[in-house]
Amino acid sequence: SVVAKPVSIPIESIHECTRVNFDVSSMLAWVSFITHNKETIQFSDLTLAEQAKQEKHDPLWPKLQAATQGKTLLACHTAVTDFRSIISIVGGPDEQERGRQLLSRIQEVKDEPSERALRLRSTGKIKERAKIVFGTGDQLKAVTLSSNEGFVRSAAGQGVHFNVIIHQCRALAEVEHESQILQEDTKSQES
């Protein structure tokens, strides 16, 4: 049986864990245009604008690198399948390339959630996919890298504490950025 760990582990203290389990949100953050862009970008979409502002003041990429450096990177089949689907539909060319590079580094493992994850009652914050992803990390004694703080808190409310690193959310934004540039170019040509 796995001993309950703290709900969230500071990245600085993760050195003792040898495996990092990626959820879909962490894979998206890893490849996001926002995470990798060094310029200040203004997005018309409020969510993307807020994430770009967060990135400028508190860059996520160095934290993701620190959390995974020297670790075995894992992701369960469900997470990999869902990530591939999302990035193929919403990802821009650079995000898709970073996605291919990331997946080449990640060891895909079968979905094998722990019993304690499977016993969680489904709620608005506790969905089946999250039970599978976090539960597989739990079963493999890996720390799960995620921005899904709602799931982690809800699971803790049911007495199940997962070994996790919580990071800020980053959406795929390359296509939106390119679309905005085209709109701005069209407007300036019309003037």
Side-chain angles (χ1 to χ4, degrees):
S1 132
V2 177
V3 176
K5 298 284 184 180
V7 172
S8 183
I9 298 172
I11 289 174
E12 300 77 35
S13 67
I14 203 62
H15 61 276
E16 66 278 354
C17 188
T18 61
R19 297 175 172 184
V20 176
N21 177 44
F22 277 70
D23 81 342
V24 175
S25 72
S26 60
M27 288 187 269
L28 293 173
W30 188 278
V31 304
S32 172
F33 172 80
I34 295 171
T35 305
H36 292 276
N37 187 25
K38 302 300 180 221
E39 302 169 20
T40 301
I41 295 180
Q42 300 297 320
F43 286 100
S44 55
D45 179 278
L46 295 178
T47 300
L48 297 180
E50 179 60 28
Q51 289 180 12
K53 180 180 171 186
Q54 289 172 347
E55 185 65 28
K56 180 178 177 165
H57 297 293
D58 188 16
L60 182 58
W61 183 241
K63 293 176 182 181
L64 294 175
Q65 289 179 305
T68 59
Q69 186 174 6
K71 311 293 186 216
T72 300
L73 308 183
L74 311 170
C76 71
H77 177 74
T78 292
V80 169
T81 300
D82 289 356
F83 172 71
R84 281 189 174 126
S85 175
I86 293 166
I87 199 153
S88 71
I89 295 167
V90 185
D94 291 341
E95 290 170 330
Q96 289 182 16
E97 177 56 30
R98 283 191 290 271
R100 284 187 286 277
Q101 291 172 7
L102 174 61
L103 289 174
S104 74
R105 294 182 57 199
I106 287 178
Q107 176 185 346
E108 183 177 340
V109 297
K110 68 181 179 176
D111 294 345
E112 194 175 351
S114 62
E115 284 300 316
R116 66 195 199 114
L118 291 175
R119 284 193 305 265
L120 288 168
R121 289 181 321 281
S122 294
T123 65
K125 298 283 184 186
I126 297 182
K127 307 283 190 214
E128 281 306 306
R129 178 175 78 182
K131 287 191 220 180
I132 293 168
V133 172
F134 283 83
T136 299
D138 189 43
Q139 183 71 21
L140 296 173
K141 296 180 176 57
V143 62
T144 297
L145 186 61
S146 177
S147 67
N148 191 348
E149 191 170 3
F151 172 83
V152 173
R153 287 183 186 277
S154 293
Q158 292 186 32
V160 179
H161 299 274
F162 291 102
N163 194 359
V164 300
I165 298 171
I166 297 294
H167 59 79
Q168 292 180 332
C169 184
R170 295 291 182 266
L172 299 179
E174 185 178 4
V175 171
E176 176 69 21
H177 179 252
E178 295 300 320
S179 174
Q180 256 184 234
I181 290 173
L182 286 174
Q183 288 174 355
E184 291 168 7
D185 287 348
T186 302
K187 285 179 185 176
S188 67
Q189 290 173 2
E190 291 173 352
S191 303

